[in-house]
Amino acid sequence: MMSREEPEASDSFYERVWEVVAEIPRGRVTTYGDIAEYLGRRGAARTVGWALNEAAGSDLPCHRVVNRNGMLTGKKYFETPHVMEERLRSEGVAFAAENRVDLEAHRWVPSEELS
DNA sequence: GCAGTGACCTCGT
DNA sequence: AACGAGGCCACTG
């Protein structure tokens, strides 16, 4: 059989999530729901969070993924709760409130940015 | 194959 | 406005 190795191709839903997260530009943020909807699983926002949990500690910019309100719900899964906010601030992401980014100003929707 | 898990989302009180 | 409960979906044991 032909060994067709495609780095872009992903078998599991998790790996697809990681592919999308890896494409999030610096200084931008997206939501769990947007990623799930882009992958064709509109109700799988929780599963997206699962995928990021598996990716914790990897090179993926999982700090750029927030919930519908722009809150950093996953910050406690980082090395320290401050890492997520520090990284976002260092990238130029503005905060609308404590644990809440300015989603309107930095929102990045994969279905609109990716083909 | 069933039951449990969870970094979400929405509705009802 | 704050709190609780249910629904949704992918993965593991």
Side-chain angles (χ1 to χ4, degrees), chain A residues 97-112:
Chain A
E98 193 90 10
N99 294 349
R100 182 169 174 178
V101 301
D102 192 343
L103 196 54
E104 295 294 315
H106 301 285
R107 188 169 189 175
W108 180 83
V109 183
S111 59
E112 294 181 359

Side-chain angles (χ1 to χ4, degrees), chain A residues 13 17 20-21 24-25 28-39 41-42 44-49 52 61-73 84 88 100-111 113:
Chain A
F13 183 81
V17 173
V20 175
V21 174
I24 303 177
R28 297 279 181 173
V29 294
T30 191
T31 69
Y32 303 96
D34 285 341
I35 295 176
E37 186 173 1
Y38 171 73
L39 295 178
R41 302 296 186 277
R42 186 160 164 219
R46 312 177 73 182
T47 311
V48 173
L52 295 185
C62 33
H63 57 278
R64 294 177 188 151
V65 183
V66 297
N67 72 350
R68 199 65 180 172
N69 294 321
M71 297 194 246
L72 312 181
T73 51
M84 191 168 185
L88 289 172
R100 182 169 174 178
V101 301
D102 192 343
L103 196 54
E104 295 294 315
H106 301 285
R107 188 169 189 175
W108 180 83
V109 183
S111 59
E113 301 291 342

Side-chain angles (χ1 to χ4, degrees), chain A residues 7-24:
Chain A
E8 302 293 333
S10 307
D11 297 345
S12 66
F13 183 81
Y14 282 22
E15 293 188 24
R16 283 219 176 122
V17 173
W18 300 337
E19 293 286 338
V20 175
V21 174
E23 295 300 319
I24 303 177

Side-chain angles (χ1 to χ4, degrees), chain A residues 84-99:
Chain A
M84 191 168 185
E85 182 175 340
E86 288 293 324
R87 283 185 182 173
L88 289 172
R89 286 189 184 278
S90 66
E91 292 183 0
V93 177
F95 277 70
E98 193 90 10
N99 294 349

